Amino acid sequence: MDYITLPPSPKSTIQALREIGYTLKTAIADLIDNSITWKAKNIWIEAKWDQENSFISILDDGEGMTEKVLKDAMRPGTKDPDDKRKKDDLGRYSLGLKTASWSQAEKLFVWSKSEKDKIHSLGWDLTEVFKRDEWAVAKNLPDPDEINKLEKQKSGTLIKWENLKKDSVQQHQDNGRAKALYYDLIQELEEYLGMIFHRFIEKQKLKIIINNNEIKAWDPFFASTSLKPSLSPTEEIKFAGEIVRIKGYVLPHKDNFIKDEGSDAYERAGGPNGWLSQQGFYLYRADRLIVSGGWLDMKSGGKKFDNEPQYELARISIDIPNSLDKEWSLDLKKSTAEPPLTLKNKIQDQAIKVREDAKKAFVARGKYGPRPGKEIQQTEERVWNVKHHKDNISYIINKKHPAVNGLASKLGVLSDELESTLKIIEQCVPVQQIWLDSQGEGDHQIPFAGMEKELKKDLLELKNCLLRKHDSATVKKILLGSEPYNRYPSIIDKVMES
Ligand SMILES: Nc1ncnc2c1ncn2[C@@H]1O[C@H](COP(=O)(O)OP(=O)(O)OP(=O)(O)O)[C@@H](O)[C@H]1O
Ligand SMILES: [Mg+2]
């Protein structure tokens, strides 16, 4: 066979590459990957809104590039993605710098300096590339304002994006509004980077400063709070000659959280996308977060694992090395990956377990506010029992509960009427409403909170009723074991003494 060469048109290739789905956040994260790989300890990002003159600059103090390395760096696809890379190299496709930048700006200018070398610069100006329809790279770039900072460093790289995408800088015709929306985007960016690179920031390997603001790490597993999640032991799975580490976490319940750390901390613990979206898997590739929440399209019994409120407390970390990129189908933007088929079952089993435990922790609060304290006896008699039928669930009033039982025996022949009254209550439990309200801001009222007088009166009547059949010690035990009286042992003591 003979072969001919058919090089693609730069214009249409770049136009297509610009649309592979980067956002401002994922694009900047891709550049930070490069800075980290090349040993930067500090990254300074300037993002200033100035209508069409808005720009973003990213300066790092990493090892920088020689003239030759910079040339290779600006060329799309210099290295083979299958080449083995160093363990802490966060790159793979030799495209990130270009594709991430093109997705956000028409101009990508780079100045870089390696130790004992002078500054070299190259730039992509897409207007010029499209005009010529040539892979033409600009050289001898004029010095930008920020060049002094780079000059003062031993080494480092300065990247500047100009002619930013209209969607970022001109989201609104009104300039005031457009500016505000732009800074909202920057705020989102700060939160995102604090999450994606949290391990680097926590280990003090990296500082990211945006517009003079140092970014705080957000740890999905609360290592730095006084509240520790309950953990499953780390599972180490051998796969393709490497180790994949999985660890399940059930986070502390909202009530405990707010009690110990305050409601602001609770909000923050939810994460940049909130509690509901941030449940699920956290996939780390060489310590950099690739997936931050969601259930990786896992299924069980044909049903997809969705993000649901009862699983909000479930988070699972998975750690993979960069040598498993292919097996995990790592995407170009480093924002999605898929578990290899042979690992799916193991990961799924772990997810089922953590979800179950998280659901228990979520429900444990009960429908009536926080749980009673530790000193309180085990609940023997609840007011409501849950009945699982084949296709649905119903809630039944516990006829053995002393208050119900006591009334029934008092009523004698009329107890049938009580039965039918209870039935109507059972049939019409406002389940949906309770569910919706428990997702909202306010907590449900704690039974008898602030109603000591009424409670005492009820308990006294109940005590007298029970004393007809039981001795005093048994009556006390029954009351201490019955919901909701078991929240108030000191009141039971007083009632028993009277
Ligand atoms: N901040 C930086 N400091 C030093 N070298 C850099 C920097 N940014 C880019 N480079 C050089 O440019 C090269 C190309 O970067 P690019 O992001 O395009 O690809 P990559 O990181 O190799 O792979 P990927 O496409 O997966 O990100 C890097 O391999 C590195 O040599
Ligand atoms: Mg890269």
Side-chain angles (χ1 to χ4, degrees), residues 34 38 60 73 79 85 91-98 334:
N34 289 340
W38 301 97
D60 73 36
K79 291 183 203 154
R85 294 200 180 212
R92 172 169 166 77
Y93 298 102
S94 293
L95 283 173
L97 170 65
K98 288 72 66 178
K334 323 274 181 351

Side-chain angles (χ1 to χ4, degrees), residues 159-173:
I159 292 173
K160 209 161 172 186
W161 290 349
E162 291 179 8
N163 294 21
L164 297 180
K165 205 164 127 176
K166 283 249 166 358
D167 306 9
S168 310
V169 286
Q170 208 58 55
Q171 298 175 67
H172 203 277
Q173 281 179 334

Side-chain angles (χ1 to χ4, degrees), residues 303-359:
K303 194 173 174 287
K304 213 173 138 233
F305 287 2
D306 283 325
N307 284 23
E308 292 178 47
Q310 68 262 39
Y311 302 124
E312 273 180 10
L313 304 178
R315 291 180 187 172
I316 300 171
S317 70
I318 305 180
D319 272 276
I320 58 169
N322 64 2
S323 46
L324 294 180
D325 290 346
K326 215 172 182 172
E327 289 79 358
W328 279 78
S329 315
L330 179 78
D331 80 320
L332 200 67
K333 305 186 297 294
K334 323 274 181 351
S335 57
T336 60
E338 209 187 305
L341 267 182
T342 43
L343 279 185
K344 233 175 174 163
N345 278 349
K346 281 219 159 131
I347 296 174
Q348 193 164 302
D349 289 349
Q350 176 74 281
I352 291 173
K353 200 183 159 307
V354 177
R355 275 162 66 99
E356 268 311 304
D357 291 350
K359 188 171 163 182

Side-chain angles (χ1 to χ4, degrees), residues 298-441:
M298 293 275 164
K299 281 191 195 127
S300 168
K303 194 173 174 287
K304 213 173 138 233
F305 287 2
D306 283 325
N307 284 23
E308 292 178 47
Q310 68 262 39
Y311 302 124
E312 273 180 10
L313 304 178
R315 291 180 187 172
I316 300 171
S317 70
I318 305 180
D319 272 276
I320 58 169
N322 64 2
S323 46
L324 294 180
D325 290 346
K326 215 172 182 172
E327 289 79 358
W328 279 78
S329 315
L330 179 78
D331 80 320
L332 200 67
K333 305 186 297 294
K334 323 274 181 351
S335 57
T336 60
E338 209 187 305
L341 267 182
T342 43
L343 279 185
K344 233 175 174 163
N345 278 349
K346 281 219 159 131
I347 296 174
Q348 193 164 302
D349 289 349
Q350 176 74 281
I352 291 173
K353 200 183 159 307
V354 177
R355 275 162 66 99
E356 268 311 304
D357 291 350
K359 188 171 163 182
K360 279 187 206 144
F362 179 82
V363 176
R365 173 176 59 147
K367 294 111 205 160
Y368 314 114
R371 277 218 269 199
K374 274 201 196 81
E375 75 282 7
I376 289 159
Q377 280 195 336
Q378 192 79 35
T379 306
E380 299 294 341
E381 298 297 351
R382 294 190 177 281
V383 177
W384 289 96
N385 284 334
V386 185
K387 205 164 171 186
H388 292 265
H389 309 277
K390 193 164 158 267
D391 300 318
N392 52 38
I393 299 170
S394 61
Y395 300 89
I396 308 292
I397 292 178
N398 175 16
K399 311 294 175 320
K400 284 198 265 164
H401 188 280
V404 183
N405 192 15
L407 179 60
S409 54
K410 254 195 210 165
L411 288 172
V413 286
L414 290 177
S415 67
D416 279 357
E417 281 181 38
L418 173 67
E419 278 267 344
S420 49
T421 307
L422 293 183
K423 186 150 281 140
I424 195 102
I425 296 170
E426 290 169 350
Q427 293 300 309
C428 300
V429 178
V431 180
Q432 301 292 351
Q433 189 62 46
I434 293 174
W435 177 253
L436 279 175
D437 294 342
S438 60
Q439 304 314 306
E441 289 295 299

Side-chain angles (χ1 to χ4, degrees), residues 186-214:
I186 301 303
Q187 166 79 32
E188 250 182 60
L189 170 70
E190 289 182 16
E191 288 175 11
Y192 181 77
L193 297 179
M195 169 174 77
I196 296 294
F197 297 105
H198 79 92
R199 286 192 178 167
F200 298 90
I201 301 172
E202 281 154 6
K203 288 180 196 158
Q204 301 191 343
K205 286 182 171 176
L206 181 71
K207 268 189 194 165
I208 306 174
I209 297 121
I210 301 190
N211 294 339
N212 296 325
N213 231 353
E214 187 176 333

